[in-house]
Amino acid sequence: MERGGEEGEKVARLGKKHSPGSSYVVTCPKMSAAGPVWPRLQVLRALWALLAVLLAPWRLWAIEDIQKCSWQVALNKFQTIGKNLGRDRFFYQEPLGTVDSLFSQLVDSRFDLNKEYLSFPYFLKINYSCEGESSEALVRKGYLTGLKPMVLVTFQSPVNFHHWKIEQLQIQMEGVPFRSKAEPCNAEVCVMSWYTPMPIKNGSVVMFQVNINGFLQRTRDDTLQFTVGNELYELMPQYFVNAPSRPLWYTEEQAPVLILGGIPEEKLILLTDTSFKDFFLVELSIDSCWVSSFHCSQASFTATIYDAIATESTLFIRQNQLVYYFTGTYIILHEGNHSSGNWVRVLANECIKKLCPVHFHSNGSEYIMALTTGKHEGYVHFGTITDGRVSFKLLPRQWSVCEGIQGIQLPVASAEVVICSITWATFIADDYSLLLLVEIEDSKKYFQVVSYDLVSDYLAILYTIPEFIPDARGLEFLTILGTESYTNHPMVPTGMSYNPYNNLLFIWGNFLLSSYNTENYIYLAGFPKEQSIKYLVNSFHGDVAIVTETEEIWYLVEGSYQVHKLFPSKGWEVYISLQVMHQSSLHAPNETMVTLFYEDSKLYQLVYLMKYKKSQLVKRLVPVDQLLMYQKLNNDYLLERQGGHLTLSFTNFCPFTVMRLRDLPNPQIYTRQEIYRAPPPHVLDPSGLHNEDSLAVYQGLLYYLLWLHSKYEEPYADSVRDSTWRWWKNKKQDQDYYFYLASNGRSTGNMHIDMASYEKICDLKAKYELPERIFLDKGTSYSFSIFLTARGHSYQAEPGREGTTYQLRSQVNLGVVLADPNCIKVVVKEKVFVNYNSLLFWVTLSDKRFCFDQGISGHHLMKTSILVKVVGSTGHCFQDTHQGPRMQGNLMVPVLIGCPPGKRLAFDTTYTLEYNRLKNKQYFDCVHVDPEIPCFLFRDSACPVCSPPLFTVLYAHPLALLAHLPTHPLLFPPVRSSLLPPLSVLYCLGHANFFLSWPHPHYPAVFYPFFLIQDLVTGDSSSFQGSYVLKVVGGGPTLDTIREYSEEEIYRFNSPLDKTDSLIWTTKNTTTTKDSVFNIMSHQSLGIEWLCLENSPCHDMVPQSFFAPEFFFRVLVSNRGVDKSTYCDYQLIFLLHIHGLPLSAKRALFILRVSATVSVSVVILYISCCLLLPLTVKACNILRWKINNIITSESYYTHTSPSKVFSSPSGTKSGSNLSVSSHGISMVAKEKAAASEEALKKLT
């Protein structure tokens, strides 16, 4: 615990491996002040057990004296919160339902209420307890004094990286206080606990001790039962007493469920999903069919499960010579149910004598090996597990290993191999090869180490193990050269162990051999030849534990040659005596070790304790450092007589007194650990206690945080590289108002959510220790310094290089061991501080730039390591800590070379737009802007004549064309836009050569794309300076019509070698790939020019509206094989929106003809109208006059004809009147005719 900030909050941090279970998790002092510093003591003739304690550092005494306290974490369903019903099993793997109804009430919050918020099925219940005190009182005291448990949940990346992204993700949460509902209470605070949601992430089933158990199923009565068998609830003594211990085999950091067999004469296994903090005894539902195995050479049959191996989703067991596997139900891992449903027997016609584990996954799969006997003696069944699907193949493919060895050793058959058998097999993933330990017996019996290449099917003998154990003659180790002398004890190897990080191979039996190259071996003489090793346990962080057939425990630091005996030993006796004094519940007079294993670089035992009242199976820590320190005190003391009494003195062989790490860089850039901070909502209740609603809201917030993280894979560079920013960016301006409401207790829902506190942590500081592992990209380096204070004055003067000056040199030496010196290098610089009797070493580890090919981020990383050690410190130097002594002087760090996780390539839209605007002098965006997809014009040109193409500019930007056209009072009236389409056509009639020159205008603009390398872990972005290949791999005129192009189409549309007029784009760069198929681009390239030739998909796009055609290109950018600046194989696919595409030459010429025809017709019509209009008017007038005359004449004659008929009886008078009248009419007609002729002459 620590007090942080001015508020005096007590923060108890639970580490990444301290999350589940209901037992001891983190040991820390009781909540009280530490005692004074006690000086070292010297006593005379003390008992050894008491002497070791008195002479130990004061903190060891204090730790043993102060009560131990611990955190307990249990898994609870939402329905059982506050009911104290124990722990639930991690069975449900998907969100159960939405909590939108609760979020809809929180209108006074900054986050988006329109999103979907789901709830997780489980919570973590957190309690705090100390021995001898009430846990309820301690929790209540902690809450009232401001104690806030911080929970860090780590999601382990899955094996199959083809389905899921490789990432190192953590979420830092805070436990919230919740009142217990199990018992009625009238007080404000009675029994309470802390709770925090247990998030679930797709692709991750291992959260380090809070793991998903996929081997459960729900019954009809709504209870859970195991699918692999029946659970037993009583541990019988005969299951463990006098039974030999057995190794615990599993895939490192990937197996959520561990199993352990070896229970005599019972088909029982121990199964755990909390790394044996709790466990279940399960009787397997297998057929145990003996009949089918009668053809195998086995003397007797038993129900015992001999070999048990756990992988990410599949369990393997061997019973006699039968092999079974069971695939669990992991929906979030396999995107479906790949469960086998029951135990499946494999290799049914084979006699399997042993299963060999493969501790590390590779290439998206896990592996297992089965050694055969009988008809397939000398073969290995190599099993592959991918997404829960198991397959085996028989290796070697052509002949057996025995036949291959016989062919190599005996080209001329002079002897016949009588016995040949494979004893052990180890898989080396980096070389994709097998190391086989082969026993051969012809005239004599000997063993060989054989290598088999799975790719080339090549077999090679690497080493022949000596027949007898070498005579070391008092040395700790001996290099096997073939010239040494040997004892009479035969070497009997029984197994091998390989560490892929430092390439260290151990061959063990009644001896221990080590090798870094599988050809040269070192004999470790510290292990007695009278013992025989049963199994070896490797931490893969520099520590190795050894268990013998007599259950002795030995210990070895990799890189050293001294083997230490831990049990039984003097140090163990002292430790047990102290535990008995403290009445420890983890020890008993009679106990049986069940297994030994490493967890989080610490050694643990699973022990069956036989007590008087009740026997039990417990997991306990093996205090290796403490045992070694006790043994050191036992061996390094001296009794001297001074006067009349004896004086006890000690010799400290540690070469230094102080060792500190300095100048450590921020760890995240090397560990690639992504961390989110997710605090709970603030409740406005005066008591500060949460309720079910606030816990449900907390769950919904965590769910949406993980959803934002998973969706943060946009191909376009974002200005803010924190996925939480998109959550509340639209309400950022109202945050002060929401805070005002919360501070006055007026927030709706009686809670307030501070969205600004939800963030991605990108600036973690180093904690004065080296990281658990580091990732190195091409040419990158990791630097730190080591400060050492020497013991005594151990300096000597040495002549300088010139022979005239002297320099001081300390007797404290620092050594560095590189697992792969051909791939990484280290530079160590030393500075001596004589006044302080100290030294400072600067250590810089760098990649050599040529040991790894390109790979996708986080994929196919090369394993190696660096070991930094102070010479002479192993087993002699210890640091006093609040948790006891810790060995110093050996620093082993795994190194992963390749493309680190969390790096990606993104299209830099902002800089691309700015640079293109600068180079092309202008930029025209789309009419309908999409903020997610950038838009670019097909050709941004400043040409004054019809370039950009006529119809491109006309449809995309009509007013922009007017800037390049000459003004005329007739062609361009004040409102230009109304007459723009026809008048623009008229303007370009004289530029037919423009249309005929498509698609190569004289002044095309160039498109300059730029890209960023974004680090999702640290939030840094930098311009991509490497080379890349750009291809258009798909496209369509709309988002709905985009299609993927075939390989043949990709070649035609992108290759400069294409001769089919199908190119979409071109560039002036002359650099191409080795086969000259594609152009190589870089940030210094001359850009690209859009072509859209005749046979390309973007050629001759017909406008669908008034605006110019557009096209969406699906662009692939990859630096695979062309970039030497990084190990990362960046592959970016993004959409590029291009508008203003030109028409084809044929269509343009057709439009030109139609436009010219229409224009000429209009002009001719106009001229004709101007010339013929007067004549037409005259003709119309004459015609009208004639028609009027005709109408008038007809009207007159119709009026006079009846008068003539009625006047006939009047005689002469009437006739004379008629004559006069006719004469008058005739005269009038003549006058009208003359007038008409004169009018006609005037008109003509």
Side-chain angles (χ1 to χ4, degrees):
M1 293 176 294
E2 60 183 13
R3 296 182 182 270
E6 297 181 357
E7 299 178 0
E9 295 180 346
K10 297 182 179 179
V11 180
R13 297 187 176 272
L14 299 180
K16 67 180 180 180
K17 299 214 175 183
H18 308 147
S19 354
S22 56
S23 59
Y24 176 82
V25 177
V26 179
T27 302
C28 56
K30 182 182 174 182
M31 289 189 294
S32 60
V37 178
W38 294 353
R40 297 176 180 267
L41 304 176
Q42 289 187 348
V43 296
L44 299 175
R45 299 182 181 179
L47 294 176
W48 166 239
L50 183 61
L51 178 63
V53 177
L54 292 177
L55 293 176
W58 72 268
R59 286 190 179 274
L60 279 180
W61 182 279
I63 286 295
E64 296 295 340
D65 185 66
I66 295 178
Q67 271 184 314
K68 291 184 177 180
C69 302
S70 62
W71 294 97
Q72 292 86 30
V73 181
L75 201 69
N76 283 171
K77 293 187 295 185
F78 183 77
Q79 296 81 0
T80 61
I81 290 178
K83 297 182 180 179
N84 299 333
L85 298 179
R87 67 179 299 268
D88 293 305
R89 301 178 184 177
F90 210 144
F91 169 72
Y92 295 106
Q93 305 177 26
E94 294 179 323
L96 297 181
T98 65
V99 288
D100 293 342
S101 59
L102 294 176
F103 277 84
S104 62
Q105 303 174 12
L106 306 179
V107 295
D108 297 333
S109 299
R110 290 172 56 189
F111 57 86
D112 193 346
L113 297 176
N114 297 323
K115 302 299 182 179
E116 184 179 22
Y117 298 90
L118 302 182
S119 62
F120 296 111
Y122 297 103
F123 282 83
L124 290 177
K125 178 184 178 182
I126 307 168
N127 277 329
Y128 181 77
S129 63
C130 296
E131 294 182 1
E133 294 194 25
S134 171
S135 175
E136 299 175 358
L138 288 173
V139 171
R140 186 165 52 248
K141 177 183 176 182
Y143 165 67
L144 294 176
T145 55
L147 185 66
K148 293 183 178 180
M150 305 300 293
V151 180
L152 192 65
V153 175
T154 300
F155 298 97
Q156 182 64 31
S157 296
V159 170
N160 193 347
F161 51 73
H162 301 291
H163 284 177
W164 309 102
K165 181 176 66 173
I166 299 298
E167 59 184 358
Q168 315 290 323
L169 181 63
Q170 292 180 335
I171 294 184
Q172 178 182 307
M173 301 176 295
E174 180 182 313
V176 298
F178 188 87
R179 185 186 293 110
S180 175
K181 299 182 295 183
E183 300 176 358
C185 178
N186 297 325
E188 184 176 2
V189 178
C190 294
V191 180
M192 57 167 295
S193 298
W194 289 286
Y195 286 89
T196 187
M198 182 63 219
I200 301 174
K201 177 180 173 293
N202 282 336
S204 181
V205 295
V206 176
M207 277 75 78
F208 291 100
Q209 301 185 15
V210 182
N211 304 326
I212 298 178
N213 195 330
F215 302 94
L216 296 170
Q217 65 181 1
R218 183 164 296 279
T219 60
R220 294 181 179 179
D221 57 352
D222 203 31
T223 59
L224 293 179
Q225 68 178 17
F226 285 99
T227 56
V228 295
N230 300 319
E231 181 181 358
L232 304 182
Y233 298 95
E234 184 177 1
L235 296 177
M236 304 298 294
Q238 60 267 26
Y239 294 161
F240 306 102
V241 177
N242 297 327
S245 66
R246 47 275 195 194
L248 181 65
W249 288 338
Y250 55 93
T251 305
E252 290 288 330
E253 299 181 347
Q254 300 297 148
V257 173
L258 306 180
I259 58 173
L260 187 66
I263 297 178
E265 302 302 328
E266 300 287 345
K267 54 180 181 180
L268 302 175
I269 61 170
L270 292 173
L271 186 147
T272 177
D273 52 18
T274 59
S275 189
F276 287 104
K277 290 186 179 298
D278 53 21
F279 52 87
F280 309 96
L281 184 66
V282 181
E283 183 180 17
L284 303 183
S285 55
I286 55 178
D287 50 13
S288 300
C289 180
W290 313 116
V291 178
S292 60
S293 61
F294 279 157
H295 67 279
C296 298
S297 56
Q298 184 165 331
S300 60
F301 299 97
T302 177
T304 306
I305 305 299
Y306 286 106
D307 300 329
I309 301 176
T311 64
E312 186 180 44
S313 60
T314 306
L315 307 178
F316 290 87
I317 61 168
R318 180 181 69 88
Q319 185 187 49
N320 297 297
Q321 295 171 335
L322 309 179
V323 177
Y324 302 84
Y325 78 86
F326 196 108
T327 300
T329 304
Y330 288 100
I331 299 176
I332 66 172
L333 189 64
H334 301 148
E335 292 186 329
N337 189 358
H338 291 181
S339 174
S340 59
N342 48 37
W343 288 98
V344 178
R345 183 181 173 188
V346 291
L347 306 175
N349 298 322
E350 300 291 337
C351 300
I352 305 302
K353 64 179 179 180
K354 183 178 297 183
L355 293 180
C356 294
V358 178
H359 297 287
F360 293 92
H361 65 93
S362 62
N363 199 29
S365 299
E366 297 167 284
Y367 305 97
I368 189 174
M369 292 170 290
L371 305 183
T372 64
T373 185
K375 61 179 180 179
H376 282 151
E377 185 79 53
Y379 287 92
V380 176
H381 289 279
F382 188 74
T384 303
I385 307 101
T386 305
D387 283 342
R389 298 183 174 92
V390 180
S391 62
F392 283 90
K393 59 181 177 181
L394 189 65
L395 299 176
R397 292 187 288 270
Q398 295 183 2
W399 50 71
S400 70
V401 173
C402 300
E403 295 171 346
I405 292 176
Q406 186 176 5
I408 296 174
Q409 292 182 331
L410 305 173
V412 178
S414 59
E416 183 179 356
V417 176
V418 178
I419 296 177
C420 177
S421 175
I422 300 176
T423 304
W424 196 270
T426 299
F427 176 60
I428 302 179
D430 291 341
D431 300 332
Y432 207 62
S433 62
L434 298 180
L435 283 182
L436 306 174
L437 181 61
V438 183
E439 177 186 358
I440 301 174
E441 182 176 350
D442 42 27
S443 59
K444 60 180 181 178
K445 184 177 181 180
Y446 59 95
F447 294 84
Q448 290 182 331
V449 179
V450 180
S451 173
Y452 171 72
D453 193 307
L454 276 72
V455 178
S456 62
D457 199 34
Y458 177 73
L459 196 70
I461 300 175
L462 299 180
Y463 183 70
T464 300
I465 299 176
E467 184 177 359
F468 296 98
I469 295 178
D471 186 3
R473 298 182 179 180
L475 300 177
E476 288 185 350
F477 67 95
L478 184 66
T479 303
I480 306 297
L481 300 175
T483 59
E484 57 277 350
S485 59
Y486 293 89
T487 64
N488 295 327
H489 288 77
M491 271 191 167
V492 184
T494 56
M496 296 189 300
S497 175
Y498 178 77
N499 188 343
Y501 287 105
N502 56 13
N503 303 323
L504 184 58
L505 174 69
F506 286 106
I507 302 177
W508 40 265
N510 60 342
F511 61 93
L512 192 60
L513 291 179
S514 66
S515 173
Y516 284 98
N517 58 6
T518 69
E519 295 180 1
N520 302 308
Y521 287 82
I522 296 176
Y523 169 66
L524 303 182
F527 184 79
K529 55 183 176 296
E530 294 79 15
Q531 293 287 339
S532 180
I533 298 176
K534 181 165 53 176
Y535 60 91
L536 187 146
V537 184
N538 201 322
S539 70
F540 301 104
H541 283 82
D543 306 281
V544 176
I546 301 167
V547 179
T548 67
E549 294 289 349
T550 58
E551 305 299 341
E552 291 184 355
I553 302 176
W554 294 72
Y555 175 76
L556 172 68
V557 177
E558 293 182 342
S560 67
Y561 306 106
Q562 184 177 3
V563 186
H564 306 273
K565 187 177 182 180
L566 299 182
F567 172 82
S569 64
K570 284 288 186 180
W572 184 268
E573 293 176 3
V574 174
Y575 174 73
I576 291 297
S577 299
L578 295 175
Q579 297 303 312
V580 172
M581 292 171 58
H582 287 281
Q583 299 180 353
S584 173
S585 61
L586 299 178
H587 296 81
N590 297 320
E591 58 185 36
T592 301
M593 183 174 70
V594 179
T595 189
L596 190 73
F597 61 95
Y598 274 99
E599 178 189 327
D600 195 19
S601 300
K602 295 181 180 179
L603 188 62
Y604 288 90
Q605 276 182 312
L606 188 63
V607 183
Y608 183 75
L609 304 179
M610 291 163 283
K611 297 183 178 181
Y612 175 73
K613 294 183 178 180
K614 182 179 180 181
S615 300
Q616 60 179 339
L617 194 63
V618 298
K619 172 187 174 182
R620 70 186 184 194
L621 177 69
V622 179
V624 176
D625 299 330
Q626 196 167 348
L627 296 176
L628 293 178
M629 192 197 68
Y630 289 161
Q631 292 188 192
K632 173 178 174 295
L633 294 176
N634 182 39
N635 299 329
D636 300 340
Y637 72 94
L638 180 65
L639 288 175
E640 297 180 349
R641 180 172 296 277
Q642 295 183 359
H645 58 276
L646 295 176
T647 301
L648 181 65
S649 62
F650 289 86
T651 302
N652 197 329
F653 291 99
C654 182
F656 58 86
T657 59
V658 176
M659 178 179 179
R660 296 191 184 99
L661 295 178
R662 293 182 175 180
D663 304 318
L664 292 170
N666 291 346
Q668 285 179 281
I669 190 174
Y670 297 100
T671 61
R672 313 307 300 165
Q673 195 74 56
E674 296 184 72
I675 305 177
Y676 285 96
R677 180 182 290 116
H682 299 285
V683 294
L684 304 183
D685 189 279
S687 66
L689 296 175
H690 285 247
N691 52 30
E692 287 85 352
D693 290 347
S694 61
L695 287 176
V697 169
Y698 197 9
Q699 275 194 331
L701 293 172
L702 283 173
Y703 167 82
Y704 197 73
L705 175 65
L706 287 174
W707 185 89
L708 286 174
H709 171 79
S710 64
K711 296 301 179 182
Y712 189 65
E713 289 296 329
E714 294 294 332
Y716 311 105
D718 199 344
S719 57
V720 179
R721 289 165 299 277
D722 187 350
S723 57
T724 61
W725 171 73
R726 296 176 177 268
W727 199 352
W728 46 266
K729 62 179 181 178
N730 296 330
K731 293 188 176 182
K732 182 177 177 61
Q733 66 277 7
D734 301 327
Q735 59 179 342
D736 294 335
Y737 171 70
Y738 296 144
F739 178 76
Y740 168 78
L741 293 178
S743 59
N744 288 274
R746 297 181 179 274
S747 296
T748 57
N750 201 31
M751 68 183 75
H752 170 67
I753 301 173
D754 183 12
M755 295 307 301
S757 60
Y758 276 73
E759 60 179 347
K760 195 172 189 178
I761 305 174
C762 300
D763 57 351
L764 282 181
K765 304 301 180 182
K767 298 181 179 180
Y768 300 100
E769 61 182 3
L770 293 177
E772 185 179 0
R773 62 176 63 90
I774 61 176
F775 294 80
L776 290 182
D777 197 358
K778 195 170 191 176
T780 57
S781 61
Y782 180 82
S783 300
F784 62 97
S785 63
I786 302 176
F787 180 83
L788 295 172
T789 299
R791 184 177 300 279
H793 298 281
S794 55
Y795 294 98
Q796 64 181 4
E798 293 183 353
R801 294 182 179 179
E802 303 296 334
T804 57
T805 60
Y806 288 85
Q807 60 182 3
L808 291 177
R809 182 173 181 84
S810 173
Q811 297 299 315
V812 179
N813 297 316
L814 187 72
V816 179
V817 180
L818 299 178
D820 295 280
N822 295 328
C823 300
I824 56 178
K825 64 180 180 179
V826 66
V827 176
V828 180
K829 297 181 180 180
E830 177 185 359
K831 185 176 182 180
V832 178
F833 299 93
V834 179
N835 295 338
Y836 298 97
N837 193 30
S838 302
L839 302 95
L840 185 66
F841 295 93
W842 282 282
V843 182
T844 301
L845 175 68
S846 304
D847 171 68
K848 285 190 173 181
R849 303 181 66 92
F850 55 82
C851 265
F852 186 81
D853 197 3
Q854 286 180 297
I856 301 175
S857 177
H859 294 192
H860 307 291
L861 300 175
M862 174 184 174
K863 297 182 178 68
T864 184
S865 66
I866 177 176
L867 174 62
V868 181
K869 58 183 299 182
V870 180
V871 178
S873 63
T874 304
H876 299 289
C877 300
F878 299 90
Q879 180 187 18
D880 303 330
T881 68
H882 68 281
Q883 292 184 348
R886 185 177 65 179
M887 195 182 330
Q888 275 191 311
N890 288 270
L891 303 172
M892 190 270 192
V893 182
V895 180
L896 299 172
I897 300 177
C899 183
K903 282 194 171 184
R904 68 164 190 156
L905 185 68
F907 182 41
D908 190 357
T909 57
T910 303
Y911 187 71
T912 299
L913 291 175
E914 293 178 357
Y915 191 84
N916 280 269
R917 182 183 290 109
L918 177 65
K919 283 291 186 178
N920 297 321
K921 309 302 181 185
Q922 57 184 349
Y923 169 71
F924 295 125
D925 201 349
C926 286
V927 176
H928 303 289
V929 180
D930 187 347
E932 298 294 334
I933 303 177
C935 190
F936 299 91
L937 191 62
F938 184 84
R939 287 191 181 92
D940 284 334
S941 174
C943 175
V945 284
C946 294
S947 180
L950 167 65
F951 294 98
T952 300
V953 182
L954 174 61
Y955 283 101
H957 302 279
L959 295 179
L961 181 60
L962 299 181
H964 303 292
L965 299 180
T967 59
H968 191 277
L970 176 61
L971 293 178
F972 294 95
V975 184
R976 296 182 177 182
S977 59
S978 61
L979 298 178
L980 180 61
L983 297 181
S984 300
V985 175
L986 290 175
Y987 170 76
C988 286
L989 287 177
H991 298 280
N993 61 334
F994 163 74
F995 293 97
L996 299 179
S997 65
W998 282 356
H1000 297 281
H1002 297 291
Y1003 302 98
V1006 180
F1007 174 66
Y1008 301 91
F1010 291 92
F1011 303 92
L1012 288 177
I1013 299 298
Q1014 289 191 324
D1015 193 328
L1016 301 181
V1017 176
T1018 63
D1020 297 331
S1021 293
S1022 60
S1023 176
F1024 177 54
Q1025 305 291 324
S1027 302
Y1028 61 90
V1029 174
L1030 186 145
K1031 304 176 187 177
V1032 178
V1033 297
T1038 63
L1039 290 174
D1040 298 331
T1041 58
I1042 294 177
R1043 70 175 183 89
E1044 300 289 337
Y1045 298 149
S1046 64
E1047 292 294 333
E1048 187 269 337
E1049 288 177 321
I1050 293 175
Y1051 172 83
R1052 290 193 296 109
F1053 298 158
N1054 299 273
S1055 176
L1057 302 179
D1058 176 66
K1059 304 299 182 183
T1060 62
D1061 290 337
S1062 302
L1063 282 180
I1064 293 178
W1065 62 278
T1066 187
T1067 181
K1068 294 182 180 179
N1069 291 347
T1070 59
T1071 306
T1072 60
T1073 55
K1074 294 181 180 180
D1075 53 6
S1076 301
V1077 174
F1078 298 106
N1079 292 300
I1080 296 179
M1081 311 285 292
S1082 70
H1083 71 290
Q1084 298 178 345
S1085 297
L1086 301 177
I1088 66 176
E1089 302 173 14
W1090 299 111
L1091 298 181
C1092 290
L1093 294 184
E1094 181 178 358
N1095 295 321
S1096 66
C1098 57
H1099 179 72
D1100 193 23
M1101 300 301 299
V1102 180
Q1104 302 298 322
S1105 64
F1106 179 77
F1107 302 104
E1110 59 184 10
F1111 204 88
F1112 292 88
F1113 291 112
R1114 188 175 176 86
V1115 181
L1116 168 66
V1117 175
S1118 174
N1119 68 334
R1120 178 72 176 179
V1122 298
D1123 185 18
K1124 298 181 180 180
S1125 64
T1126 179
Y1127 288 137
C1128 291
D1129 178 9
Y1130 293 122
Q1131 292 185 2
L1132 171 66
I1133 298 179
F1134 64 98
L1135 292 180
L1136 194 60
H1137 188 186
I1138 302 297
H1139 69 109
L1141 272 70
L1143 303 178
S1144 65
K1146 293 181 180 179
R1147 189 177 298 275
L1149 185 58
F1150 171 75
I1151 294 177
L1152 173 62
R1153 291 174 180 176
V1154 173
S1155 301
T1157 302
V1158 173
S1159 300
V1160 171
S1161 299
V1162 171
V1163 172
I1164 293 175
L1165 179 60
Y1166 176 76
I1167 296 174
S1168 301
C1169 291
C1170 292
L1171 296 177
L1172 298 178
L1173 181 59
L1175 297 178
T1176 304
V1177 173
K1178 291 179 182 180
C1180 290
N1181 290 336
I1182 295 173
L1183 180 61
R1184 185 180 60 182
W1185 180 83
K1186 289 184 178 182
I1187 293 174
N1188 290 336
N1189 286 342
I1190 294 173
I1191 294 174
T1192 304
S1193 300
E1194 291 180 353
S1195 175
Y1196 174 77
Y1197 287 115
T1198 302
H1199 177 72
T1200 56
S1201 294
S1203 298
K1204 182 178 180 181
V1205 174
F1206 290 112
S1207 63
S1208 58
S1210 60
T1212 305
K1213 188 177 179 177
S1214 299
S1216 62
N1217 291 335
L1218 178 60
S1219 175
V1220 175
S1221 176
S1222 299
H1223 178 72
I1225 293 173
S1226 175
M1227 292 297 295
V1228 173
K1230 290 179 179 181
E1231 292 176 359
K1232 290 183 177 182
S1236 298
E1237 291 178 0
E1238 292 179 1
L1240 183 60
K1241 289 180 180 180
K1242 292 180 180 180
L1243 293 174
T1244 58

